[in-house]
């Protein structure tokens, strides 16, 4: 009888092993997210029609794949990064994929850190030339009178939080690699973060807007845009993903800017100001954040997934590296609660070995009236790379916390 029972249990065990390997799902969410993106050909330096495309989303995924490669040693990730970049960088080092320096866009520069990484890994001149081409945009890129890079030539005098993640991680990584003692460059990078912070920070509650002390999406230094507030020209709402980009930029730039440069302390102060406010802005039940953070709970508002993943990455990295102290454990507890909500609600097993990622808003542009109605009216996408790559990043942090 006993043997029969043991045999039966062995059978159950073997059956469960078989079932789990049949639906092979990596035990790491970071690996699952990355492998799913790769299986779908996302972030590979090509657009949906197979034409070369320089895209910040690809740069964001490449950053995650690089971290995964360093952690796992799995060369699949490295090869995917390199293939993606080789789709947009010609053998002479010129950058294709729709890049044009004279449009003064910060977005494409987000692929620049990958050029630098590949140069470091291969010593191939073409990657250095590609990085130089991006770096040469800065001297011609228009700025506000205070010195902020315009978000794009078509958005004169506007600073958007998004642009800090897109442009300044590249600026910092380039400076670190080729001009480590160029204090003019370190000063300039610090200025970009500071101007954005000073000109967008919410100083008080306004009618129908909860006080969060966080950063509005952007500002127009010329006050000429429809959405520009008389107070510093800032836009009307705090949009989750813009602040998500900015917070990721802070923790990533802090790892690059030398501690000996005063900018390091400036960025630390900004991060230490924002982190407790990001934690305080969580929805108490779910533990995640509203799309429009200034109007929690208002009809039409919802919990958005890309911004949540970006915050979780930033909070966990900030504590892990020691940029902020978490003496009562509240920051990590908050990030972990949010992470749990993310995997319970936004990760769906696709059934073919890949996962789907839900609820990432397609865009949030200040080429609009920047109103509440605008932000909540933008559709969400399944497997939007901006959110999926952020989830890979959040998982990389979560799995080592
Ligand atoms: C590396 O990752 C790929 C998927 O991206 C996977 O198919 C492969 O088995 C992994 N290799 C190792 C050695 O883990
Ligand atoms: C790149 O060049 C440096 C200096 O010339 C050398 O030390 C390094 O080993 C090279 N790396 C590779 C991957 O070839
Ligand atoms: C370049 O790569 C080497 C070895 O992988 C590493 O030690 C070094 O920090 C890298 N340099 C930069 C600027 O990333
Ligand atoms: C240092 O950085 C500044 C600002 O980006 C730039 O104008 C200058 O050319 C750089 N200097 C050197 C020596 O590379
Ligand atoms: C930002 O604001 C702080 C505090 O008011 C001030 O000390 C700093 O000079 C400002 N920085 C810039 C670049 O405007
Ligand atoms: C505040 O919200 C209420 C209810 O949604 C609305 O009737 C009112 O017009 C709003 N006030 C402002 C200043 O937006």
């Amino acid at each position: 009888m006993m043997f029969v029972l043991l045999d039966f249990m062995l059978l159950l065990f073997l059956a469960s092993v078989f079932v789990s390997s049949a639906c092979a799902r990596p035990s790491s969410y970071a690996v699952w997210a990355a492998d799913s993106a790769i299986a779908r050909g996302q972030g590979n330096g090509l657009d949906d029609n197979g034409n070369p495309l320089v895209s910040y989303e690809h740069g964001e995924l490449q950053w995650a794949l690089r971290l995964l490669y360093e952690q796992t040693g799995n060369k699949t990730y490295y090869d995917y990064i390199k293939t993606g970049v080789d789709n947009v960088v010609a053998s002479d080092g010129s950058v294709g994929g729709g890049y044009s320096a004279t449009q003064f866009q910060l977005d494409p520069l987000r692929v620049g850190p990958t050029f630098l990484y590949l140069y470091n890994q291969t010593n191939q001149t073409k990657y250095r030339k590609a990085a130089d081409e991006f770096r040469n945009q800065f001297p011609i890129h228009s700025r506000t009178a205070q010195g902020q890079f315009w978000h794009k030539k078509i958005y004169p005098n506007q600073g958007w939080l998004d642009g800090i993640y897109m442009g300044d991680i590249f600026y910092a990584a380039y400076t670190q690699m080729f001009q480590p003692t160029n204090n003019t460059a370190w000063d300039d990078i610090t200025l970009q973060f500071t101007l954005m912070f000073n000109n967008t920070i919410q100083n008080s509650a306004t009618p129908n807007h909860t006080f969060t002390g966080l950063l509005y999406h952007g500002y127009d230094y010329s006050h000429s845009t429809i959405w520009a507030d008389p107070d510093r020209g800032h836009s009307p709402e705090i949009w989750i993903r813009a602040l998500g980009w900015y917070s990721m930029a802070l923790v990533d730039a802090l790892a690059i800017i030398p501690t000996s440069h005063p900018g390091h302390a400036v960025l630390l102060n900004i991060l230490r100001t924002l982190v407790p406010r990001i934690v305080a802005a969580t929805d108490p039940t779910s533990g995640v954040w509203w799309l429009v953070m200034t109007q929690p709970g208002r009809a039409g508002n919802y919990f958005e997934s890309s911004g949540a993943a970006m915050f979780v990455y930033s909070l966990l990295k900030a504590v892990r590296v020691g940029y902020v102290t978490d003496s009562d454990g509240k920051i990590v507890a908050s990030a972990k609660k949010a992470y749990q909500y993310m995997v319970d609600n936004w990760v769906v097993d696709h059934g073919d070995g890949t996962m789907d990622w839900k609820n990432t808003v397609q865009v949030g542009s200040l080429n609009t009236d920047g109103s509440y109605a605008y932000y909540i009216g933008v559709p969400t996408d399944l497997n939007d790379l901006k959110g999926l790559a952020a989830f890979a990043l959040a998982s990389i942090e979560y799995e080592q916390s």
Side-chain angles (χ1 to χ4, degrees), residues 182-223:
N182 186 345
N183 286 326
T184 314
W186 294 125
D187 290 345
D188 194 18
I189 293 159
T190 307
L191 181 72
Q192 301 307 312
F193 278 89
T194 314
L195 287 174
M196 222 43 248
F197 179 86
N198 282 11
N199 287 313
T200 63
I201 190 160
Q202 184 191 27
N203 287 326
S204 60
T206 49
N208 291 358
H209 288 72
T210 302
F211 178 65
T212 64
L214 294 168
L215 309 182
Y216 291 108
H217 187 170
Y219 71 99
D220 174 4
Y221 189 69
S222 69
H223 289 69

Side-chain angles (χ1 to χ4, degrees), residues 156-175:
N157 287 297
Q158 294 181 24
W160 300 12
L161 295 178
D162 321 45
I164 300 293
Y165 185 73
M166 305 310 161
D168 291 292
I169 300 301
F170 167 67
Y171 198 170
Y174 186 97
T175 305

Side-chain angles (χ1 to χ4, degrees), residues 292-352:
V292 180
M293 301 179 72
T294 10
Q295 305 204 42
R298 182 167 168 190
N301 211 349
Y302 60 88
F303 302 137
E304 198 279 333
S305 66
S306 67
M310 291 174 187
F311 288 152
V312 167
Y313 170 77
S314 307
L315 295 176
L316 290 177
K317 182 170 178 181
V319 173
R320 178 177 61 80
V321 186
Y323 299 141
V324 299
T325 50
D326 189 25
S327 38
D328 58 8
K330 279 191 178 150
I331 300 168
V332 167
S334 172
K336 288 191 167 178
K337 183 178 175 185
Y339 188 81
Q340 194 57 48
Y341 184 93
M342 287 166 31
V343 296
D344 289 346
N345 292 275
W346 295 329
V347 175
V348 180
D349 192 333
H350 195 80
D352 62 351

Side-chain angles (χ1 to χ4, degrees), residues 66 116 120-121 173 176-177:
R66 168 184 172 177
L116 297 168
N120 179 287
Q121 294 289 306
Q176 177 189 47
M177 193 175 279

Side-chain angles (χ1 to χ4, degrees), residues 48-77:
D48 292 342
N49 300 317
N51 298 315
L53 177 70
V54 171
S55 160
Y56 64 87
E57 303 180 18
H58 300 196
E60 181 194 9
L61 179 70
Q62 287 159 352
W63 189 265
L65 294 182
R66 168 184 172 177
L67 295 175
L68 264 186
Y69 172 54
E70 285 165 2
Q71 268 183 9
T72 65
N74 187 336
K75 200 154 178 296
T76 300
Y77 301 124

